[in-house]
């Protein structure tokens, strides 16, 4: 069993005095709160010096009645748990429900809360800007927009130095599609199977997962190619990917050579000669697939894919909506781990710690092609969004967030790999930093996905013990672990103990 070795550590320790002022502003006070786990063989939940305000708003029954009657029916479909979680307040890596129960949040609102819920520094920046200027548009010149753009592009290699600010990842990807087609004069775009690039009518064609598609014509001109998934795909071995943990598949490749990579590149070549014109507009790829289940590719796949695409007149677009801002640990941007420089980078989610925002960063040459017409976004570059996003960049640097992602992520990956050896139903553990996937299977030999009902049992049990995680993959067979990047090793060990117990409970019921 995993041992808890300390009470409180991490980037937020030094924020106690600053956070206390902000907490008092909202009528709360700092004092110890603990979750007493009903399972005696699970350690006590790590300590937290924050107490949420008492919940006094509408009842659970009222909320669900409104959700059923007045909210879009999709909100009922994505409620996630049989017993919904009614969230009331958040602080750093913690969430509280309306009954006062505390949860360790390892999903971060779908990899969106980057530096921590209501991080004191980011909250202070938002408050300051709200008192000065809520909104104006970028037809005027105001400091927060220009300060942020300069700060953001300083984190990119040349020639990625031009920013377009949007309100979401779908919008950023939609814009990148348009820019690629205008710049190249070509139309067809290639993406990877299992990818998720948004839910707008245009980006829906880039999203290669039937659960997110509707039976209507949308986003024509997109062709998917085989995802180089070295666990579930037809080819793969135990030296393929850039991760502390490799697959359990055998590998007979010579040192420095990857047969699986060669085979997946051949599939891309076949797509290029059979399914698209000789000249294409773009290739879209996530450095690590997010909704697809933290799928990783062979080390050199993107480098070789980019070369093939550019030979055919296309530009290469890295979707960093989930992998950006230090989440992969080893690098600030996921594409850097593949030793490539894209022509465009799209981002959202962690860019503003949950405040609605997105961006496209590209080259001056591509930007010039786009300037042939007029593109205007009322809310893109909103003063509050820019102030928050700027504070997020400062906080990542000041709190050592990328290093935390690397260290705690590596710890989680190596310990989860031990659980993979222990349980037949854990087929694969993969990822980098705090972008982690645990793929569940019926058995390791077949690699057949664990059925949804079984996944649900483990998922619900984990929640009941106080930990929130996500699900993904084409069959919903992968647990997604993408927490706020302020978690500690102590938090990770608590999750490992809970996850181990949830799987053991499931196995005992079989």
């Amino acid at each position: 069993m995993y041992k808890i070795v300390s009470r409180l550590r991490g980037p937020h320790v030094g924020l106690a005095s600053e956070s206390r002022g902000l907490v008092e502003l909202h009528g709360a006070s700092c004092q110890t709160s603990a979750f007493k786990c009903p399972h005696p063989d699970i350690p006590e939940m790590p300590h937290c010096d924050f107490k949420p305000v008492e919940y006094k708003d509408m009842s659970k029954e009222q909320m669900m009645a409104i959700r059923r009657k007045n909210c879009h029916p999709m909100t009922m479909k994505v409620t996630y748990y049989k017993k919904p979680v009614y969230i009331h307040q958040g602080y750093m890596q913690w969430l509280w429900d309306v009954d006062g129960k505390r949860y360790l949040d390892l999903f971060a609102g779908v990899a969106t809360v980057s530096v921590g819920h209501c991080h004191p520094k980011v909250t202070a920046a938002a408050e300051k800007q709200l008192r000065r200027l809520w909104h104006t548009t970028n037809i005027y010149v105001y400091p927060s927009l220009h300060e942020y753009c300069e700060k953001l592009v300083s984190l990119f290699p040349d020639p990625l130095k031009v920013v377009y600010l949007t309100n979401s990842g779908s919008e950023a990807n939609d814009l990148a599609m348009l820019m690629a087609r205008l710049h190249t004069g070509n139309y067809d775009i290639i993406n990877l199977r299992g990818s998720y690039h948004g839910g707008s009518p245009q980006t829906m064609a880039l999203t290669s997962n039937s659960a997110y598609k509707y039976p209507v014509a949308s986003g024509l001109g997109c062709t998917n190619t085989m995802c180089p998934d070295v666990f579930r795909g037809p080819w793969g071995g135990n030296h393929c990917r850039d991760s502390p943990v490799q697959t359990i598949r055998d590998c007979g490749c010579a040192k420095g050579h990857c047969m699986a990579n060669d085979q997946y590149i051949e599939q891309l070549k076949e797509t290029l000669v059979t399914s698209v014109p000789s000249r294409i507009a773009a290739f879209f790829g996530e450095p690590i697939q997010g909704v697809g289940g933290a799928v990783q590719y062979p080390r050199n796949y993107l480098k070789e894919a980019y070369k093939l695409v550019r030979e055919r007149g296309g530009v290469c677009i890295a979707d960093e909506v989930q992998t950006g801002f230090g989440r992969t640990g080893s690098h600030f941007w996921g594409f850097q781990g593949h030793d490539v420089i894209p022509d465009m980078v799209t981002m959202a989610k962690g860019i503003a710690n949950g405040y609605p925002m997105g961006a496209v960063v590209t080259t001056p040459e591509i930007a010039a092609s786009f300037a042939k017409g007029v593109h205007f976004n009322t809310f893109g570059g909103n003063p509050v969004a820019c102030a928050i996003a700027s504070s997020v960049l400062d906080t990542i640097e000041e709190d050592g967030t990328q290093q935390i992602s690397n260290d705690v992520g590596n710890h989680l990956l190596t310990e989860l790999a031990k659980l993979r050896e222990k349980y037949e139903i854990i087929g694969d553990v993969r990822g980098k930093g705090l972008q982690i996937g645990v793929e569940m299977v019926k058995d390791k030999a077949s690699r057949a996905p664990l059925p949804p009902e079984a996944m649900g049992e483990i998922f619900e049990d984990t929640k009941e013990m106080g930990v929130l995680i996500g699900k993904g993959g084409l069959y919903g067979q992968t647990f997604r672990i993408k927490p706020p990047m302020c978690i500690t090793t102590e938090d990770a060990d608590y999750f490992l103990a809970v996850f181990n117990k949830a799987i053991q409970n499931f196995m005992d019921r079989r």
Side-chain angles (χ1 to χ4, degrees):
M1 191 54 63
Y2 301 93
K3 183 179 179 182
I4 300 300
V5 294
S6 67
R7 271 296 175 203
L8 183 64
R9 60 183 183 274
H12 47 290
V13 174
L15 303 175
S17 60
E18 185 178 0
S19 65
R20 193 168 292 114
L22 287 169
V23 171
E24 288 170 355
L25 184 69
H26 291 87
S29 62
C30 286
Q31 71 177 49
T32 301
S33 61
F35 168 63
K36 301 296 184 182
C37 186
H39 300 275
D41 48 352
I42 296 296
E44 184 180 330
M45 180 178 278
H47 179 77
C48 174
D49 277 334
F50 179 90
K51 183 180 179 181
V53 298
E54 183 182 355
Y55 182 77
K56 296 180 179 180
D57 295 329
M58 66 175 64
S59 68
K60 298 177 190 177
E61 293 75 20
Q62 284 177 299
M63 284 190 279
M64 287 307 293
I66 294 169
R67 197 173 178 95
R68 281 188 288 265
K69 183 178 180 181
N70 303 121
C71 296
H72 192 281
M74 192 57 65
T75 60
M76 291 301 298
K77 194 171 183 179
V78 297
T79 300
Y80 233 40
Y81 294 101
K82 291 180 179 177
K83 295 180 181 177
V85 179
Y86 298 83
I87 297 299
H88 163 47
Q89 194 165 350
Y91 179 73
M92 301 306 284
Q93 64 270 53
W94 306 107
L95 289 171
W96 286 264
D97 69 14
V98 298
D99 297 317
K101 179 177 177 179
R102 178 160 59 103
Y103 295 89
L104 176 61
D105 181 12
L106 296 191
F107 200 34
V110 193
T112 299
V113 178
S114 47
V115 296
H117 292 282
C118 300
H119 191 293
K121 295 176 187 175
V122 181
T123 302
E127 238 174 32
K128 180 180 178 181
Q129 185 60 50
L130 281 167
R131 288 195 169 95
R132 181 178 298 167
L133 180 67
W134 280 37
H135 176 73
T136 187
T137 73
N138 55 34
I139 62 175
Y140 304 114
V141 181
Y142 48 95
S144 58
L145 169 67
H146 302 86
E147 288 169 2
Y148 180 66
C149 288
E150 183 181 44
K151 192 179 293 187
L152 180 62
V153 298
S154 72
L155 298 165
F156 283 93
D158 288 330
L160 295 166
K161 295 299 176 182
V162 181
V163 183
Y164 290 82
L165 294 175
T166 68
N167 306 296
S168 70
S170 292
E171 188 180 315
N173 285 334
D174 201 300
L175 183 59
M177 294 172 74
L178 175 60
M179 293 170 73
R181 285 168 170 159
L182 287 171
H183 178 68
T184 64
N186 304 323
Y187 191 72
D188 289 76
I189 297 174
I190 294 175
N191 62 294
L192 297 173
R193 291 176 195 161
S195 61
Y196 181 87
H197 297 289
S200 68
Q202 179 103 314
T203 58
M204 202 182 298
L206 285 178
T207 294
S208 182
N209 186 321
S210 65
Y212 297 93
K213 290 181 175 289
Y214 290 89
V216 295
S218 61
L220 302 177
C222 295
T223 300
N224 59 55
T225 192
M226 183 180 286
C227 176
D229 182 347
V230 297
F231 173 71
R232 178 160 298 283
W235 307 286
N238 53 25
H239 299 289
C240 297
R241 59 198 185 196
D242 176 24
S243 173
V245 180
Q246 300 290 334
T247 73
I248 57 175
R249 298 175 74 167
D250 292 331
C251 182
C253 297
K255 188 175 181 180
H257 183 74
C258 181
M259 184 194 72
N261 184 67
D262 293 346
Q263 294 289 350
Y264 288 117
I265 287 294
E266 285 300 317
Q267 290 296 310
L268 175 57
K269 288 179 179 177
E270 186 170 316
T271 299
L272 289 167
V273 299
T274 62
S275 305
V276 294
S278 59
R279 306 293 289 175
I280 63 174
F283 171 85
F284 252 91
E286 302 160 272
I288 299 174
Q289 285 193 347
V291 174
V295 175
Q296 290 181 282
Y297 326 130
R299 285 184 178 87
N300 291 320
Y301 179 83
L302 283 186
K303 183 181 287 189
E304 295 184 35
Y306 277 24
K307 182 175 183 292
L308 290 170
V309 168
R310 285 170 173 155
E311 287 172 352
R312 287 156 179 80
V315 296
C316 300
I317 303 169
D319 180 335
E320 294 273 359
V321 169
Q322 294 198 32
T323 51
F325 301 94
R327 181 162 288 279
T328 63
S330 62
H331 299 87
F332 199 84
W333 304 109
F335 70 79
Q336 294 170 316
H338 294 271
D339 192 25
V340 297
I341 297 179
D343 302 293
M344 280 191 266
V345 180
T346 61
M347 64 205 74
K349 291 190 182 290
I351 191 172
N353 205 44
Y355 193 89
M357 191 177 186
V360 179
V361 176
T362 189
T363 69
E365 183 184 10
I366 293 174
S369 299
F370 190 54
K372 294 172 184 176
V374 175
H375 177 266
F376 180 74
N377 188 316
T378 301
F379 296 102
N382 169 275
V384 177
C386 288
I388 290 172
S390 185
S391 179
V392 167
L393 291 181
D394 293 342
T395 301
I396 289 172
E397 181 178 2
E398 293 163 9
D399 288 2
T401 301
Q402 183 180 330
Q403 190 63 48
I404 293 168
S405 292
N406 190 70
D407 295 345
V408 180
N410 284 348
H411 175 69
L412 272 168
L413 284 161
T414 53
E415 293 300 316
L416 284 166
K418 294 176 184 177
L419 293 183
R420 179 184 63 182
E421 301 307 309
K422 180 178 178 180
Y423 295 108
E424 179 68 12
I425 62 171
I426 299 181
D428 195 30
V429 172
R430 54 181 178 258
K432 286 185 67 178
L434 293 174
Q435 174 91 339
I436 297 172
V438 181
E439 183 156 348
M440 309 298 288
V441 295
K442 290 181 179 178
D443 58 81
K444 288 183 171 70
S446 70
R447 302 198 299 274
L450 193 68
E453 300 77 18
M455 289 289 293
E457 288 185 44
I458 300 169
F459 193 61
E460 295 276 350
D461 212 7
T462 301
K463 181 258 292 184
E464 290 301 314
M465 288 186 276
V467 180
L468 304 178
I469 57 177
K471 288 186 290 186
L474 290 176
Y475 309 99
Q477 82 280 20
T478 302
F479 290 120
R480 298 164 66 196
I481 301 156
K482 304 174 182 186
M485 296 182 288
C486 58
I487 67 165
T488 67
T489 303
E490 181 182 9
D491 301 328
D493 286 342
Y494 180 74
F495 159 68
L496 290 162
V498 165
F499 192 56
N500 176 69
K501 179 62 177 175
I503 295 176
Q504 187 60 62
N505 288 346
F506 172 76
M507 299 299 290
D508 290 344
R509 291 192 293 266
R510 295 182 73 180

